[in-house]
Amino acid sequence: MSPTDPDEDATGTATTAGTPTRTRIVLRVNGVEHSLEPDHRTTLLDALRDHLDLTGAKKGCDQGQCGACTVLLDGRRVCACLLLAVAQDGAAITTVEGLSDTATGAALQRAFVARDAFQCGFCTPGQLCSAVGALAEAAADPAGPVTLTEAETRERLSGNLCRCGAYPAIVRAVRDVAVRDAVQDVCVQDVGVQDVAARDAAR
C-alpha cells in the first residue's frame, strides 16, 4: 500500500496519513433522506449516479459547460459535476426523477413531449431541471415577475447545450408552461425560492 492509499483508523473510517478521507453526510433527494459516506473527492453527480442509482443527471463534459448534469440544490440550478458531495450535507436536491412530483415539473414533461423538444434525450434531464429553475427564478425576481419572452427564455437556458439542436422546441415547451394561469406562483412554491434575493444578500 502506498502512503497515499486510504487506510482505516480504529473506528473504521477511511484515512490517509491520519486524515479522514470520507465523511458521513445526509442528502434529501427528491423528498427522501439518504445517509452515505462518500470519498471527499466524490462529486455530487457521482454520488447521485453511483451511490444512489439516480442516473437521470448525465455526465457530459464533466466541467460544468454542457448542463447535462443540472439538478436543483435547495431550489437553485447547479451543475452537479462541479460540486463535492461532502459539502452538500443536509441539502435538498431535486433530480429529474423527482420532477413529476411537482406541478411545474410534470407540466414541463408533458410540454416537452407535446412539442417534441428532444431527440436523443441525453440532455433532456438537465434541460428539464434547468427549466424548472428558470421559471422559478423569473417568478421570484426582486423587481417583479419576469415575462419569459422567446429571447429571455433562450438566455435563461443558455447554460444547457443540445447537440441535436432541439432549441426551438425546447423554448416553445418552456414558454407553454410559463404562460399558463398562475404557473409562476406554482413554480416558486415547487422549488422553494420565494425570496432568492434575500437569501443571496444574507450570504
Side-chain angles (χ1 to χ4, degrees):
M1 177 179 292
S2 72
T4 58
D5 286 334
D7 202 346
E8 288 189 357
D9 63 15
T11 66
T13 300
T15 64
T16 298
T19 302
T21 60
R22 296 178 181 272
T23 299
R24 177 70 58 181
I25 63 172
V26 174
L27 299 178
R28 185 172 181 82
V29 184
N30 300 328
V32 179
E33 285 195 354
H34 299 272
S35 178
L36 58 157
E37 192 173 342
D39 184 283
H40 290 173
R41 299 164 295 182
T42 302
T43 65
L44 177 59
L45 177 60
D46 287 338
L48 292 171
R49 292 179 58 84
D50 300 336
H51 293 251
L52 301 181
D53 293 324
L54 294 170
T55 56
K58 298 298 188 287
K59 181 175 287 191
C61 66
D62 214 22
Q63 297 179 1
Q65 298 296 314
C66 71
C69 65
T70 302
V71 298
L72 298 170
L73 176 70
D74 291 332
R76 301 292 295 270
R77 295 182 286 174
V78 298
C79 289
C81 73
L82 295 181
L83 302 177
L84 293 175
V86 71
Q88 315 312 317
D89 186 27
I93 298 162
T94 302
T95 69
V96 70
E97 289 90 344
L99 286 187
S100 59
D101 295 332
T102 69
T104 305
L108 278 166
Q109 289 174 328
R110 291 192 296 269
F112 267 57
V113 172
R115 289 291 191 176
D116 199 21
F118 51 87
Q119 290 187 39
C120 77
F122 186 85
C123 73
T124 304
Q127 298 278 2
L128 286 165
C129 286
S130 187
V132 171
L135 287 166
E137 291 159 14
D141 191 283
V146 176
T147 300
L148 290 181
T149 63
E150 180 175 339
E152 182 73 22
T153 304
R154 287 181 178 276
E155 176 63 25
R156 288 179 180 266
L157 299 179
S158 60
N160 291 79
L161 304 183
C162 174
R163 296 186 67 179
C164 299
Y167 298 115
I170 291 170
V171 170
R172 285 193 291 269
V174 174
R175 295 190 69 215
D176 284 348
V177 176
V179 299
R180 296 185 185 195
D181 291 343
V183 70
Q184 290 185 329
D185 290 338
V186 173
C187 291
V188 173
Q189 294 166 9
D190 277 349
V191 298
V193 292
Q194 292 91 332
D195 196 357
V196 175
R199 185 169 65 184
D200 287 347
R203 289 180 174 176

